[in-house]
Amino acid sequence: MLDFRNILFMTRSFPLVISMLFGAMSGHTQNVDSLWRVVNRTETHDTARLHAIGSLSALASQRHGPDSAIVLARRQLDLARVGPYTRYIAEAHHRIAAAYSGKEDNTLAQQHLDTCLRIALDGSIHVIVTRAYLLQGKLFGKRAAWTEAERAYRSALGSAEAGGQKEMQASAFVNLGNLWRNMGNHPEAIRFYLEALALNEATRDSVEMSNTLNSIGSSFSAQKDHNNALTYFHRSLDLAERQGALLAQATALSNIGAMHGELGDQQKAFEYFLRSYKIAAAIPSKFGMALLQGNLGEVALKLNDHPKALAHLDSSITLYREMDNMNGLAFVLVTYAKARLASGSIAAAIRAGEEALALSEKDNNLNNVHRASDALLNIYEAADRPADALRAMKKAIAARDSVTNERTRRDVLQQEFRYLHRQEVIADSLTHKMELDQLASERTIERLRADRNRNRAMGLGGGGILLVAGIGAYTVTDRKRRKAKFEQQAAQLETKALRAQMDPHFLYNSLNSISAYVQAKDVDSAVSYLARAARLMRLTLENSRSQEISLEQDLKAVEAYLQLERDRADGRFEYTIQIDPGVDREQTMVPPMVLQPFVENAIIHGFAQRATQGSITIHAEAQHGKLLLRVEDNGVGRPSGGAKSSSLGTAITRERLDLLSKMKKAAAGFRYLDREQGTCVEIELPLSVM
C-alpha cells in the first residue's frame, strides 16, 4: 500500500493520493515516551522491548524518515539475536528492507527482504511472510516487473488466507488493485478494491475502509468519472470523521482538493488543501505539512495571489530542507521560481530555478530536470539571456526525450503483462472447460452403459465430435484474433517510440539555427528566433503526444518551421500550400510531423547550392480512399545514377509509415517522382476522417 512519505504530490496536474497519504498507522498517535520507557527498562521481558522498538521504528519512518527507522530496526535486530527470537529477527529485517526501499536503495532492500522471507518461511510465520511478499511486490513494481509483482501479491494473498489474516488479505487485494490501476485497467482495479472493502467491513476496520474508498475514488478519477470519484472521496471523509481518524481525514481532504483542482475550481482546491494541512500539523507530520504547503502555494499561484503563494512555498521549502528531502525540495523550488517570475523578481527566480535543476540532476530525477529546465527557459527569456535560454531548452528537450523513452519502455512492459495475463486467463478457461467436458463425457458413458442404447450413444458421440471441432475452430480463430490484436498494439507502441526519436531530431535542427545567431552575436535576431522557435517546439511537443492529428495542425507546424527557416536563409526561398477542395483540413487526420522531414530536406539539401530564388510547394488531395501529400522544390534535385541519400528524419518517417500500414491494414509510404529540375516526394496515407 502506498504511504505518505513515498508520494510526491504534484499539484500541477493534481494526481491523487491513492491510499493513506500520511502513512499506514492508526488514527491515534501512540505515546512515544511510554514506548521508550519500555525499551529502556532492562528488567522488562525482551519480547515486550522488541515489540516497543518495532513500534518506534514504524513511527520514526512515518515522522522522521527512513534513516531513523533503520537505526531503530537494527537495534531491534541486535536484541532479537540475543534470544534468539526468530519472529523479531525476521520482523527487523523486514523493517530495514522497507526503510531502504523508501530510500530507493533497492539492492539493500532486496538483500534484507530475502533474509526476512527465508527466516519467516522456515518458521511458518505467516504474518511476516505476508508482509514480505507485499514488499516484494512493491520492489518488483519499481522495476516495472509487473508479472513478478502480481505473483508476489498473490503469494501474499495465499499466505494471509493460510494464516487467517483478513486484514492482510485486504492489503493484498488493495495492492493488486494498485497494480492493475498502474496498468490502466481501472475496472479490474476496482474489482480488487471492492474485494478489499468487503474484508474491511468484515473486520470492522473503519480506517482501512476509508483508505480503500479513496483508492476506488482514484480509479474513477483516472477514468475522468469525476462524479463517482467525488462520491467515494466524500464517503471516505465522512467515515474517517465519524471514527476520528485524522490520517484518513487528511488523505480524503487532499484527494477532494486535487479533484476540484482538476475540475478548475482552484478556490475549493485551496480550501480542502488548507483543511488537510491543519490536520497534518496536528498529527504532526512534517512531510505532510511540507507537501501540503507546496500544494497550497501552487494553487495560490494559479489564483494569481503571489504573496500568499510565496508564503506557502517558503514554508514548504524550509520543511523540506529540515528533512533533507532533496526530491521534494527540487519540485517545490520549481514552483517557487515560477512564483518569483510572476511577481517580477527575476533574479530570485533564476536562483531558485538553478538550484532546482542542480538538485534534480544530482538525484537523476528526469521529471524534475524537465520541469526545472522548462521553467528556466521562460525565466531566461524574461531576463533577456538567450544563450542561457538555449541551454535550458536543450536540457528540457533531452530530459523530455529520456522520460518519453522510459514511458514507452514501461508501456511495452505493461502491454506484455496484460497480454500474458490474458493468455493465462484463456488457458485457465480452456482447461476448466475441458475438465467439465470430460466430467460430462464420463457421466454420459455411465448412462449409455446402463441404458444399452446404441443409437443414443452414436448420436451423443457425433455431438461430442462436433463440440470438440467447434471448440477447436473457436480456439484457432480466437488465437489468430488475439495475435493480430497484440501485433497491432506492438505496432502502436513501436510507432510511439519512433515519434519519440523524430521529435528530438527536428528540435535539434532548430536549435542549431539558434546557435548560429548566438555565435554570430546577433542578439536581437537570436531572441526573436528563440521566442518563435519556443512556440513552434511547444506546438510540436503537443502534436507528438497524439497518434494522429488533423492535417490543419500538421500544416500549422510545418508553416511555422518554414517561416523560421526562410528568415534564417534571408528570404532565399518562398513557399506555397495548396489543398484540394475535396480535402477537409480540420477533419482529415494524419500522423504528426509527416511532412516536416521532406520540407527540411528541400531546404537543407535542395537549396544549399542554389544561387537563385528557391520555391517549395506543398499539395494535398484525396484520391480513391487515399490521401496524397506532395512536397516539391526547384532545388538541385536528388543525386544522379540512383544513388541513395536519406536523412535520419526520412528514415524514421519510412519506418513510421510502414507501421501505420500494418495498423491500418492499408497502403502507406512515400516515393520520389522524377522532375526535370528539383525534387518531388509523394506521401501516400490511408484517408482518415475524424
Side-chain angles (χ1 to χ4, degrees):
M1 189 177 281
L2 298 178
D3 70 53
F4 183 84
R5 64 182 180 275
N6 291 327
I7 298 171
L8 185 58
F9 190 88
M10 304 177 183
T11 55
R12 181 181 184 183
S13 56
F14 292 116
L16 301 174
V17 182
I18 294 157
S19 65
M20 267 192 98
L21 186 64
F22 302 97
M25 56 185 273
S26 62
H28 63 278
T29 302
Q30 295 192 39
N31 189 323
V32 176
D33 291 337
S34 65
L35 288 171
W36 275 114
R37 282 196 293 273
V38 173
V39 171
N40 294 324
R41 194 177 299 140
T42 55
E43 66 273 13
T44 304
H45 195 276
D46 284 347
T47 55
R49 297 173 65 198
L50 285 165
H51 181 77
I53 295 174
S55 299
L56 285 168
S57 177
L59 287 169
S61 176
Q62 293 148 6
R63 296 185 180 183
H64 306 293
D67 290 325
S68 299
I70 290 171
V71 170
L72 287 163
R74 288 194 181 281
R75 182 170 176 181
Q76 183 188 34
L77 181 59
D78 291 340
L79 181 59
R81 283 171 172 163
V82 173
Y85 298 100
T86 305
R87 173 197 167 90
Y88 287 104
I89 292 174
E91 180 182 296
H93 278 293
H94 178 268
R95 292 191 187 282
I96 295 170
Y100 275 122
S101 174
K103 287 168 63 69
E104 300 300 327
D105 189 339
N106 297 324
T107 301
L108 281 175
Q110 190 64 59
Q111 290 175 7
H112 283 279
L113 186 59
D114 288 342
T115 303
C116 164
L117 197 53
R118 176 176 52 78
I119 295 170
L121 286 169
D122 288 346
S124 298
I125 311 170
H126 289 294
V127 66
I128 305 297
V129 170
T130 304
R131 291 176 187 169
Y133 277 130
L134 289 174
L135 182 55
Q136 183 77 278
K138 179 180 177 181
L139 292 176
F140 280 131
K142 285 183 176 183
R143 301 203 301 267
W146 310 117
T147 302
E148 291 82 356
E150 186 194 33
R151 191 175 297 121
Y153 290 140
R154 290 194 179 278
S155 295
L157 184 61
S159 174
E161 289 173 347
Q165 310 151 22
K166 288 188 177 181
E167 295 88 349
M168 300 300 284
Q169 289 179 51
S171 184
F173 277 124
V174 166
N175 279 281
L176 284 166
N178 292 341
L179 178 68
W180 280 103
R181 178 188 53 78
N182 289 334
M183 296 297 102
N185 189 335
H186 296 287
E188 187 73 3
I190 290 172
R191 183 177 73 81
F192 282 116
Y193 290 145
L194 291 174
E195 293 276 7
L197 189 63
L199 287 165
N200 297 152
E201 291 171 347
T203 57
R204 300 179 183 275
D205 191 337
S206 299
V207 174
E208 287 305 317
M209 283 173 63
S210 177
N211 296 333
T212 306
L213 289 168
N214 265 313
S215 298
I216 296 170
S218 297
S219 279
F220 278 119
S221 174
Q223 298 174 84
K224 303 302 179 185
D225 187 344
H226 299 120
N227 290 334
N228 269 323
L230 280 171
T231 297
Y232 276 95
F233 290 147
H234 278 290
R235 282 181 60 188
S236 173
L237 178 60
D238 291 344
L239 182 60
E241 287 177 338
R242 288 200 303 271
Q243 297 298 319
L246 296 180
L247 298 169
Q249 288 179 51
T251 304
L253 287 166
S254 295
N255 282 341
I256 295 169
M259 274 301 306
H260 284 299
E262 285 187 359
L263 292 169
D265 192 340
Q266 304 302 333
Q267 189 58 52
K268 273 194 174 181
F270 188 90
E271 292 168 4
Y272 279 103
F273 283 140
L274 185 59
R275 287 174 62 187
S276 182
Y277 169 76
K278 289 177 180 178
I279 293 175
I283 288 175
S285 169
K286 185 177 283 189
F287 186 86
M289 293 162 65
L291 199 66
L292 288 158
Q293 285 282 23
N295 292 350
L296 288 164
E298 189 153 359
V299 174
L301 180 58
K302 291 180 179 180
L303 291 168
N304 293 317
D305 191 339
H306 300 150
K308 185 180 288 186
L310 289 168
H312 285 296
L313 292 168
D314 270 322
S315 296
S316 179
I317 288 168
T318 300
L319 288 164
Y320 278 126
R321 290 194 195 280
E322 289 176 0
M323 293 185 293
D324 197 31
N325 187 319
M326 296 299 103
N327 191 40
L329 176 61
F331 186 87
V332 174
L333 279 170
V334 174
T335 311
Y336 183 80
K338 293 177 181 178
R340 281 295 186 188
L341 176 62
S343 63
S345 303
I346 294 179
I350 290 173
R351 287 195 299 272
E354 288 178 345
E355 184 182 0
L357 181 59
L359 289 170
S360 303
E361 289 179 329
K362 183 179 179 180
D363 195 39
N364 196 31
N365 187 317
L366 293 174
N367 283 306
N368 276 350
V369 170
H370 180 260
R371 291 184 69 248
S373 301
D374 191 56
L376 282 170
L377 167 60
N378 294 324
I379 296 168
Y380 287 141
E381 284 180 343
D384 196 19
R385 290 168 54 175
D388 290 327
L390 176 61
R391 282 194 294 272
M393 183 182 293
K394 286 184 175 180
K395 284 190 176 182
I397 292 166
R400 174 196 168 275
D401 182 36
S402 297
V403 169
T404 300
N405 287 340
E406 175 60 21
R407 190 175 294 129
T408 301
R409 185 186 71 84
R410 292 174 71 89
D411 284 348
V412 171
L413 291 173
Q414 289 174 2
Q415 289 282 5
E416 181 184 8
F417 170 75
R418 287 197 289 266
Y419 175 73
L420 292 174
H421 187 269
R422 285 198 300 271
Q423 292 285 79
E424 290 178 3
V425 170
I426 291 167
D428 290 344
S429 298
L430 290 175
T431 300
H432 181 61
K433 180 165 180 51
M434 288 174 65
E435 289 172 352
L436 291 176
D437 288 346
Q438 183 179 355
L439 181 60
S441 298
E442 290 173 356
R443 289 175 177 173
T444 300
I445 290 170
E446 291 301 320
R447 283 202 308 274
L448 293 174
R449 286 175 177 171
D451 297 341
R452 305 290 184 185
N453 191 332
R454 183 178 180 83
N455 292 332
R456 187 178 181 186
M458 291 177 63
L460 288 173
I465 292 170
L466 290 173
L467 178 63
V468 172
I471 292 172
Y474 170 79
T475 302
V476 171
T477 303
D478 192 50
R479 281 180 182 170
K480 288 181 179 178
R481 179 186 60 79
R482 285 186 282 106
K483 182 181 179 182
K485 186 176 181 182
F486 180 64
E487 287 175 349
Q488 185 178 33
Q489 290 171 337
Q492 288 173 342
L493 291 171
E494 192 172 348
T495 302
K496 184 176 179 182
L498 288 169
R499 287 205 309 272
Q501 297 176 43
M502 184 71 236
D503 300 342
H505 166 73
F506 163 52
L507 299 177
Y508 178 77
N509 288 339
S510 296
L511 291 174
N512 284 339
S513 300
I514 302 170
S515 297
Y517 281 125
V518 174
Q519 290 167 7
K521 298 185 178 178
D522 187 350
V523 176
D524 292 338
S525 296
V527 171
S528 173
Y529 194 102
L530 181 61
R532 288 183 294 152
R535 286 192 292 272
L536 170 59
M537 289 176 184
R538 286 183 178 171
L539 176 62
T540 304
L541 295 178
E542 287 173 5
N543 288 349
S544 69
R545 294 192 184 104
S546 303
Q547 188 170 326
E548 287 186 322
I549 59 173
S550 70
L551 178 60
E552 175 69 13
Q553 288 174 291
D554 203 44
L555 288 173
K556 279 183 180 179
V558 168
E559 188 166 9
Y561 174 73
L562 280 164
Q563 290 171 355
L564 285 172
E565 288 300 296
R566 185 175 61 182
D567 290 350
R568 188 171 71 88
D570 296 325
R572 285 187 292 137
F573 71 87
E574 58 186 20
Y575 66 88
T576 305
I577 298 177
Q578 302 171 348
I579 307 298
D580 189 82
V583 176
D584 189 330
R585 298 164 62 127
E586 296 286 351
Q587 298 297 317
T588 302
M589 307 300 289
V590 297
M593 295 183 69
V594 70
L595 287 166
Q596 190 276 334
F598 303 104
V599 173
E600 176 189 307
N601 282 349
I603 296 169
I604 295 175
H605 304 298
F607 301 147
Q609 301 174 3
R610 184 179 176 85
T612 58
Q613 183 78 357
S615 173
I616 297 175
T617 300
I618 298 173
H619 181 78
E621 65 176 296
Q623 192 179 100
H624 307 303
K626 302 174 185 177
L627 178 66
L628 299 181
L629 305 172
R630 284 193 295 276
V631 179
E632 189 168 359
D633 66 72
N634 64 345
V636 298
R638 302 181 71 213
S640 60
K644 294 183 179 179
S645 175
S646 177
S647 71
L648 174 62
T650 55
I652 294 173
T653 301
R654 186 181 295 280
E655 291 186 55
R656 290 176 64 200
L657 294 178
D658 287 344
L659 288 168
L660 178 68
S661 176
K662 291 179 183 177
M663 286 189 291
K664 297 281 190 178
K665 306 296 183 185
F670 67 87
R671 59 179 178 147
Y672 290 95
L673 304 179
D674 293 332
R675 292 290 187 269
E676 290 184 6
Q677 182 182 7
T679 303
C680 179
V681 62
E682 184 177 77
I683 307 161
E684 178 182 329
L685 300 171
L687 184 60
S688 175
V689 180
M690 183 169 57

